Amino acid sequence: MTNTASANFGWEVAGGKKAAKKTEPKTKDKKDVPKIDILPPIQTSSTIYDLIRESDDEEINNNKSVKSAKMDSPKKTTRKEPKESLNLVNTSMVSVQKKKPNPKQGPKNTDQELESALKDLKLDEFEKQLSQLESLFPNNNLVINENLIAFLNKKLEPIPEIDPNPCQEQFYPISMMEKSVLKFLNVQLTKLNKNDADKLFEFCLNNLFFDNQKIPSNHGNKIAFQLISKLNPNLSINLEKFNEKINANRHRHQRLLIALWALGQFGYYNLESGLKIWFDSMLAQLNTKGCANFIIFYLNNLLEHHKIAPKSKIHIKIDQYDKIYELVNDKNLNLSKEAAQKLKNSFDLLRNIFKQDVVRESSYFEALLHRLPAEKCPRQDDIMELLLDCLLKNRDSLLKWKQCYSKNLAQSVLLLEEVSTKHFKELKSLKYTRDTFKYFDEQTTHLMSKLNISNKDVHTKAHHFARSKSNKANSETDLLKKFNHLVKSINQTHYKKSSLGQMVFKTFFYSILAVSLFFYWDANYNKSIYTNSVQKQLRKYGLLDHTLKVINSVKQLIYSVQKTLSYYIPIWQRKFRETVIPLTERALKTSKEYGTLVWVKSEPYRDMIVQYTNEGVKYVEDNYPFVLKNLNSCGQLALDYIITVSNFVAYYLFSSIDYVGVNLMGLKRGELENVIFDGFRFILDKIADLLIQVANYINKL
C-alpha cells in the first residue's frame, strides 16, 4: 500500500530509489513572445524652462476658471491637451520666433501719451481731494501735499516710465501740464516752509526707490521734484544722505537716473547749487550704466541755461577744477563723440573762468604750488601756466610765495626755473619782485649756514644739478642749494648794485643831453616864437630882452611843472591802481552778489506781484471797464497840461528876453537871443579846445 501510494503520489520511500521522470519543456506560442518596436526619437520644440513657465502661467491664469468648472460639473473629466515635446536643438530659434512682436502693431509714443494725460487732468478732482485731506489733516500742509503728489502719481500710473533725456527741454514735463492744475499745485506747495519742503523732497525720493511693482511709473514724483526746486531754489539738500541713498540703489539704473535728474533741477535756478550737485553727487555716478551721457550733457545745459561766458564771475574751487581736469584727460572714459565734445567745451569754459579767479584771488597760489608735479607731464604744464598768470598779474601772489616757498621747495625750484628763463622781464616790472628775491637770498643763505652746508656746493656747475633720477633733489639740502643758486644768479644778473657816483653821472649826462636836444629843436624848427619880424619890432621899441626873459621864465615854469607831474603822476596812478581800483571792484562784486541774491530771493514775490497785477487788471477790465477809460483820459489830460505849461514858460522866457533887449538895451528884436546862443557856442568850443589840449599833453607825457 505504501509503495503503491508513494508511487501514485510521487513520494520518496526511505531506502528506495528516486523515480526518474523525463519532463519535456513546453513550447510557448509566438503570440506570447514580447516584441521590441524601434520608434523615432522624441522631438522637442521648447526647453524645460519654457515648459515650466507655461505650466505656471496656465495655473495662474486659469486657476479661477478651473475651480468654477469643477463646481459646475464635478463628474465631467476634461481631456488634457498633449504637451509639446522638448527639442533642445531648436529651442533658441523657436523662443526667438515666439518673442517677436507683431510688425503690424507700431510702437507707442509714450511722450505723446504723457502730454495728453497731463492736459486731461481736471482741477475739480484735485479740489475734491484737497477738501477731503483738509478735513482729515487740518493745518498739516506737509501731509496734504504728500497725499496730493501721491494722487497725481496715481493719475499718471498707466503711462510707462520715461528716462530723462538730456536733449529734452529743461522744464519737461511740467511745461506740458494743465495750467489750472499747475497753478493749484503751486499754491499748495507755497504754503510749505523750508523744513517741510525738504521733507517733501525726501518723501518723493523714498517713493522713487520704494520696491512696489504696482507703481510702474513716477511721473507725479517728477513733477513734484520740479515744483519743489522752482519754489525753493536755495533748499539745502543733504548731499551725503542723498549719495548714500543712490549708492545703495546703484543696481536700479533707471530710478537712479531719475534721482540724479531730480536733484539737478535745483541747478537751473541756482548755478552755484547746480555745480556743487554735479561735482559732489553726479560725477561719482559717471560709470553707472546709462548715466554717463546724461551727466555730461547736464553740465553743458547748465552753463548754457545760465548764459555763462568766459568772463563770467563764478567761484570754482580748486578741488572741483582737479576733478574735471582728470575727467577730461581720462583715456578710459567711454563717451559718445557728441558727449566728449560737450565735455571739452564745458572744460574750456570753466578753465577760463577758473583762470580769472586765480588771477583775481592770490589765495589760490599756495594750493596750486603744492599740486605742481615734479615730473614732466601735461598736468605740470597746466598748473605752471596758472601759476605764471597768478604771479605776473597779481602782485600779492609774490607775498604768498614768500610765505609758502619753504613748505614747497621742490615746486618752488621748478617755478623759479620757468620764471627766470622765459618770463622774468614781465615779473621784474612788478613792485615786490626785488624785495622777494632779496628775501629768498637772505633766508636760504642763513639756513644753509645754519645747516653747515659748504658754499662751494652752491657755485658748482650746472651739470651738478642734472643728475639721474635716483640721485635727484629728493633731499632738502640739495633742493635748498639749487634754489639758493638760482636766486643768487637772478640777483647778480638783474639787480646789480649801482654806486652813488654812477647815479650822479648818469643823471648829469642825461640832463645835458635832453637840454641840448631841446634848444637845438627850438632854434631850428620852432619858428612860431623867434621870427625875424617880431625880433625887429621888439628891438625897435627896446622890448626884446624883456620878452626873452619872460619866455625863459615861462620855459622854466613849464619844466618845473612837467618835472613835478612826471614824478607824481606815476605815484598817483600806482596808488589809484593799488587802492581805489581793488576797492571799487570789491564794492561792485559785493553789490552784484547781493543784487543777484535779492533778485533770486524775490523771484516768488515778483511772480506773485505780476500774477496778482494781471489778475487785477483783468478783473477791472471785465467788471469796471469805465475805470480804465477814465484813467487813460486822465493820463492824456495830464500830458496835455504839461505840454501847455512848457509852452507857456518858453513863451514868457523869450518875451522877457526880447523886452530886455529891445526896451532896456535898445537892440533889435532877436539880437539879445542870438547873443546868448553865441555865448553858449563860445563856451562849448572853449571846453572842447581845453579837452583837446589836455589830451595832447597827456599823450606827450
Side-chain angles (χ1 to χ4, degrees):
M1 293 291 290
T2 309
N3 292 332
T4 58
S6 63
N8 293 331
F9 292 95
W11 291 350
E12 292 184 2
V13 181
K17 295 182 179 180
K18 292 181 180 178
K21 294 183 180 180
K22 294 182 181 181
T23 58
E24 294 181 1
K26 295 181 180 180
T27 58
K28 294 183 178 179
D29 296 335
K30 291 183 179 182
K31 296 180 179 180
D32 299 333
V33 177
K35 294 180 180 180
I36 299 174
D37 295 333
I38 300 175
L39 299 175
I42 299 173
Q43 296 182 355
T44 61
S45 60
S46 60
T47 62
I48 189 171
Y49 304 106
D50 294 333
L51 184 64
I52 294 171
R53 187 173 66 250
E54 289 175 1
S55 62
D56 291 341
D57 292 339
E58 288 176 0
E59 289 181 4
I60 294 170
N61 296 328
N62 300 326
N63 190 13
K64 294 182 179 180
S65 62
V66 171
K67 287 183 178 180
S68 62
K70 287 183 179 180
M71 292 296 292
D72 295 338
S73 57
K75 294 182 179 181
K76 187 177 178 180
T77 59
T78 59
R79 185 178 178 182
K80 293 183 179 180
E81 296 181 358
K83 295 181 180 179
E84 295 180 355
S85 58
L86 298 175
N87 186 359
L88 300 176
V89 178
N90 298 327
T91 300
S92 61
M93 294 298 294
V94 174
S95 61
V96 169
Q97 291 176 0
K98 286 184 176 181
K99 292 180 181 178
K100 282 184 179 180
N102 189 1
K104 296 181 181 179
Q105 296 178 356
K108 295 182 179 179
N109 194 336
T110 312
D111 293 334
Q112 292 182 358
E113 290 183 4
L114 178 60
E115 292 175 9
S116 61
L118 289 172
K119 290 179 181 178
D120 292 340
L121 292 174
K122 296 180 180 179
L123 180 62
D124 298 338
E125 297 178 354
F126 285 90
E127 290 178 347
K128 183 179 179 181
Q129 190 74 14
L130 176 63
S131 61
Q132 294 177 359
L133 291 170
E134 287 179 346
S135 61
L136 293 173
F137 309 105
N139 299 325
N140 196 340
N141 294 321
L142 177 60
V143 177
I144 292 173
N145 280 282
E146 288 176 355
N147 284 275
L148 286 175
I149 297 302
F151 178 73
L152 176 62
N153 200 64
K154 186 178 179 181
K155 283 285 184 182
L156 303 174
E157 271 183 11
I159 303 167
E161 192 64 80
I162 301 175
D163 291 340
N165 188 358
C167 298
Q168 278 181 344
E169 184 188 359
Q170 287 90 350
F171 304 107
Y172 181 86
I174 194 175
S175 58
M176 302 297 173
M177 199 172 178
E178 174 64 25
K179 301 299 181 183
S180 59
V181 179
L182 180 60
K183 181 180 177 182
F184 171 81
L185 293 175
N186 270 322
V187 171
Q188 296 305 317
L189 287 174
T190 50
K191 297 178 181 179
L192 296 174
N193 55 28
K194 193 173 182 180
N195 294 330
D196 289 343
D198 193 3
K199 292 178 182 179
L200 183 61
F201 183 86
E202 187 175 356
F203 168 78
C204 297
L205 187 66
N206 292 331
N207 287 342
L208 187 64
F209 292 111
F210 184 64
D211 294 326
N212 190 354
Q213 296 180 357
K214 295 182 179 180
I215 304 177
S217 61
N218 288 275
H219 300 296
N221 292 325
K222 286 183 181 179
I223 293 171
F225 287 134
Q226 288 184 321
L227 290 174
I228 293 170
S229 61
K230 179 183 177 182
L231 299 174
N232 300 276
N234 298 318
L235 192 65
S236 57
I237 301 297
N238 191 350
L239 292 181
E240 294 182 359
K241 189 175 181 180
F242 179 84
N243 292 337
E244 291 177 0
K245 188 79 173 177
I246 60 176
N247 286 330
N249 294 273
R250 293 190 70 175
H251 58 285
R252 307 179 68 182
H253 305 140
Q254 189 184 42
R255 299 301 173 91
L256 187 142
L257 185 61
I258 295 173
L260 295 177
W261 171 86
L263 189 63
Q265 295 300 308
F266 290 95
Y268 293 119
Y269 301 97
N270 191 336
L271 179 62
E272 186 177 355
S273 299
L275 291 175
K276 184 178 181 182
I277 288 166
W278 193 84
F279 282 108
D280 295 346
S281 295
M282 289 190 178
L283 202 57
Q285 308 299 327
L286 194 66
N287 295 323
T288 306
K289 182 180 177 182
C291 294
N293 289 329
F294 171 78
I295 292 172
I296 300 302
F297 274 86
Y298 173 78
L299 178 61
N300 185 76
N301 294 338
L302 185 66
L303 298 175
E304 288 182 354
H305 176 75
H306 289 280
K307 298 179 181 179
I308 302 301
K311 294 184 179 180
S312 299
K313 292 184 179 181
I314 305 172
H315 182 67
I316 299 175
K317 298 179 181 179
I318 192 167
D319 296 333
Q320 295 176 344
Y321 178 75
D322 290 341
K323 289 180 181 179
I324 193 170
Y325 181 85
E326 293 174 359
L327 179 64
V328 171
N329 294 276
D330 188 3
K331 297 181 180 179
N332 298 324
L333 189 63
N334 294 323
L335 293 174
S336 61
K337 291 183 179 180
E338 188 179 1
Q341 186 62 34
K342 294 283 187 183
L343 178 61
K344 185 178 181 302
N345 295 339
S346 302
F347 171 72
D348 293 339
L349 181 59
L350 291 176
R351 189 181 186 279
N352 291 331
I353 295 171
F354 180 72
K355 193 174 180 180
Q356 294 178 3
D357 239 1
V358 167
V359 173
R360 192 164 49 248
E361 299 290 339
S362 61
S363 57
Y364 285 98
F365 183 83
E366 184 176 358
L368 287 172
L369 186 64
H370 182 70
R371 284 170 167 79
L372 184 65
E375 298 179 356
K376 188 68 177 177
C377 60
R379 178 65 170 162
Q380 187 191 65
D381 297 337
D382 181 71
I383 295 182
M384 186 67 75
E385 183 182 353
L386 294 173
L387 285 170
L388 289 173
D389 286 337
C390 190
L391 274 177
L392 300 177
K393 297 179 181 179
N394 191 346
R395 60 185 181 83
D396 294 335
S397 58
L398 286 169
L399 303 178
K400 289 288 182 181
W401 196 9
K402 288 171 63 175
Q403 297 172 3
C404 66
Y405 85 98
S406 58
K407 300 177 184 178
N408 306 282
L409 201 55
Q411 292 84 354
S412 297
V413 169
L414 294 173
L415 181 59
L416 193 59
E417 287 178 344
E418 185 72 17
V419 167
S420 61
T421 54
K422 298 180 181 179
H423 304 279
F424 195 79
K425 287 184 179 180
E426 301 173 11
L427 186 67
K428 188 179 179 181
S429 61
L430 297 178
K431 183 178 180 181
Y432 299 121
T433 306
R434 183 167 186 167
D435 297 337
T436 302
F437 283 99
K438 186 178 179 181
Y439 174 82
F440 286 158
D441 191 7
E442 293 175 355
Q443 292 295 321
T444 52
T445 304
H446 175 71
L447 190 59
M448 288 173 63
S449 62
K450 192 175 181 180
L451 296 174
N452 296 324
I453 300 174
S454 176
N455 291 329
K456 295 181 180 179
D457 297 336
V458 178
H459 301 287
T460 51
K461 295 181 180 180
H463 66 79
H464 173 76
F465 303 107
R467 301 175 180 175
S468 62
K469 289 185 179 179
S470 59
N471 297 326
K472 214 167 183 179
N474 290 325
S475 63
E476 292 292 330
T477 55
D478 291 340
L479 290 172
L480 189 61
K481 287 188 288 185
K482 186 172 182 179
F483 187 77
N484 183 264
H485 173 74
L486 291 171
V487 171
K488 285 185 178 296
S489 63
I490 289 172
N491 287 333
Q492 291 174 2
T493 305
H494 299 282
Y495 298 109
K496 293 180 180 179
K497 293 183 179 180
S498 58
S499 62
L500 181 62
Q502 290 178 348
M503 294 174 63
V504 172
F505 176 76
K506 286 181 179 180
T507 305
F508 179 75
F509 175 76
Y510 287 122
S511 300
I512 295 296
L513 181 63
V515 171
S516 61
L517 289 174
F518 175 78
F519 280 106
Y520 173 78
W521 169 82
D522 191 45
N524 293 279
Y525 297 100
N526 191 12
K527 300 297 183 179
S528 62
I529 298 177
Y530 304 108
T531 58
N532 295 326
S533 60
V534 173
Q535 288 181 359
K536 289 179 181 180
Q537 293 294 328
L538 291 174
R539 190 179 291 110
K540 180 179 178 181
Y541 295 102
L543 298 175
L544 181 61
D545 296 334
H546 298 283
T547 305
L548 293 176
K549 187 177 180 181
V550 171
I551 291 172
N552 291 329
S553 62
V554 170
K555 283 184 179 180
Q556 291 178 1
L557 178 62
I558 292 172
Y559 295 155
S560 61
V561 171
Q562 185 177 1
K563 185 178 179 180
T564 304
L565 292 176
S566 63
Y567 177 77
Y568 283 105
I569 285 177
I571 297 174
W572 294 339
Q573 288 179 348
R574 194 181 303 111
K575 288 185 177 180
F576 183 80
R577 187 170 57 251
E578 293 175 357
T579 57
V580 177
I581 292 177
L583 291 174
T584 306
E585 290 180 351
R586 193 178 303 170
L588 290 174
K589 181 180 178 181
T590 306
S591 60
K592 187 175 181 180
E593 289 179 355
Y594 280 104
T596 306
L597 184 63
V598 170
W599 181 261
V600 173
K601 290 283 189 183
S602 63
E603 184 176 0
Y605 304 104
R606 286 186 283 106
D607 294 340
M608 192 181 299
I609 290 170
V610 171
Q611 179 182 353
Y612 284 122
T613 303
N614 294 333
E615 290 179 356
V617 170
K618 187 177 180 181
Y619 178 78
V620 171
E621 288 178 352
D622 295 339
N623 298 318
Y624 305 100
F626 59 90
V627 174
L628 292 176
K629 186 176 180 180
N630 292 334
L631 288 175
N632 292 331
S633 60
C634 290
Q636 187 64 35
L637 184 62
L639 183 61
D640 294 339
Y641 274 118
I642 291 171
I643 294 172
T644 305
V645 170
S646 62
N647 294 332
F648 178 78
V649 171
Y651 172 76
Y652 277 101
L653 179 63
F654 287 112
S655 299
S656 60
I657 292 173
D658 290 338
Y659 177 78
V660 172
V662 174
N663 296 330
L664 298 180
M665 300 179 66
L667 300 175
K668 293 181 180 181
R669 185 179 297 275
E671 288 184 356
L672 182 60
E673 184 178 348
N674 294 330
V675 169
I676 293 172
F677 284 128
D678 290 338
F680 277 116
R681 293 190 192 97
F682 178 77
I683 292 170
L684 293 175
D685 292 338
K686 289 299 180 182
I687 292 172
D689 294 338
L690 180 63
L691 293 175
I692 292 171
Q693 291 177 4
V694 172
N696 293 332
Y697 182 75
I698 292 172
N699 292 331
K700 289 180 181 179
L701 293 176

